[in-house]
């Protein structure tokens, strides 16, 4: 699949906004700690990925009903669904000058019906001329996402026979339908009804 930038200018993928608030002190402090323990953009990106994947439980796995959507809140509460975790990882990458995009998959529920859209990120390291998708959702039995610039190691490869799709667009800001669902939901059960099942 060929990934396509929604915005041609790469600088759009370094911007801070309400959701990817990488100018927030907590995001900056977290990025500085990671930077001091790593050498170079690759090791920093991998460390940021592992921090979000492994230290911020996915709220479905943890049972946390709170809804977070702003990167700084995700890091502060150590809670979020895939979209919120993607915002946190994008913020940590952008804080260190690594372009990061938001991207999405259309996945099916266990019964084959369309599920809510799944969120992940793509990053572009210095000296590279392509984007690499990464999924910081969080691992559990049956899910083994890994940081990789070789073959993709996402939480869920799509199953076309079930109508699942990889959306090729790389968004500079969260998709409006996703962000609206996150911002307007009082709890996770309400969020499941508010998130889109397709883009």
């Amino acid at each position: 699949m060929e990934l396509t930038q929604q915005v041609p200018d790469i600088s759009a993928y370094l911007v801070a906004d309400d959701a990817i608030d990488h100018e927030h002190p907590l995001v900056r402090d977290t990025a500085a700690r990671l930077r001091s323990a790593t050498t170079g953009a690759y090791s920093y990106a991998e460390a940021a990925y592992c921090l979000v994947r492994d230290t911020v439980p996915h709220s479905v796995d943890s049972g946390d009903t709170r809804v977070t959507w702003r990167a700084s809140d995700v890091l502060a509460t150590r809670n979020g669904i895939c979209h919120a975790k993607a915002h946190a990882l994008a913020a940590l990458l952008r804080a260190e000058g690594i372009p990061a995009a938001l991207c999405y998959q259309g996945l099916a529920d266990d019964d084959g019906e369309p599920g809510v859209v799944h969120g992940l990120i793509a990053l572009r390291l210095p000296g590279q001329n392509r984007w690499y998708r990464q999924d910081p959702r969080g691992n559990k039995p049956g899910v083994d996402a890994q940081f990789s610039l070789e073959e993709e190691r996402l939480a869920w490869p799509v199953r076309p026979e079930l109508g699942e799709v990889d959306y090729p667009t790389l968004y500079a800001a969260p998709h409006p339908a996703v962000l609206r669902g996150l911002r307007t939901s009082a709890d996770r059960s309400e969020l499941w009804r508010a998130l889109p099942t397709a883009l």
Side-chain angles (χ1 to χ4, degrees):
M1 177 186 63
E2 185 175 346
L3 299 172
T4 306
Q5 289 178 212
Q6 177 198 27
V7 181
D9 186 350
I10 195 74
S11 67
Y13 297 89
L14 293 168
V15 170
D17 61 25
D18 283 348
I20 305 171
D21 59 339
H22 65 73
E23 295 172 347
H24 189 280
L26 177 57
V27 178
R28 288 289 180 186
D29 289 348
T30 305
R33 272 198 325 275
L34 289 170
R35 184 179 65 244
S36 70
T38 56
T39 56
Y42 179 96
S43 62
Y44 174 86
E46 184 174 26
Y49 169 86
C50 290
L51 180 134
V52 174
R53 183 194 64 188
D54 299 341
T55 72
V56 179
H58 191 289
S59 59
V60 171
D61 299 343
S62 68
D64 197 325
T65 61
R66 294 174 295 169
V67 176
T68 55
W69 56 271
R70 188 176 281 120
S72 57
D73 291 339
V74 174
L75 295 175
T77 63
R78 297 291 188 202
N79 165 63
I81 66 163
C82 59
H83 300 292
K85 294 182 68 165
H87 299 169
L89 179 53
L92 289 172
L93 293 170
R94 292 182 184 188
E96 289 300 308
I98 299 171
L102 300 166
C103 42
Y104 303 93
Q105 293 176 305
L107 302 176
D109 285 336
D110 292 339
D111 60 6
E113 292 298 311
V116 297
V117 168
H118 178 58
L120 48 155
I121 66 109
L123 60 85
R124 191 163 172 175
L125 290 172
Q128 300 286 331
N129 62 358
R130 58 169 291 208
W131 291 89
Y132 299 91
R133 293 194 306 168
Q134 311 293 332
D135 191 339
R137 181 231 178 263
N139 291 336
K140 62 178 185 174
V143 175
D144 184 29
Q146 300 293 328
F147 184 85
S148 176
L149 301 186
E150 305 299 327
E151 63 177 339
E152 286 189 335
R153 300 283 305 277
L154 306 179
W156 293 289
V158 297
R159 300 166 294 178
E161 68 276 10
L162 295 180
E164 295 182 340
V165 295
D166 283 313
Y167 293 107
T169 303
L170 299 171
Y171 292 88
H175 190 283
V178 170
L179 189 56
R180 184 169 50 254
L182 288 165
R183 292 182 74 163
T184 61
S185 297
D187 58 30
R188 192 163 33 82
S189 63
E190 190 174 307
L191 177 61
W192 273 182
R193 297 188 297 273
L195 287 173
T197 58
L199 298 181

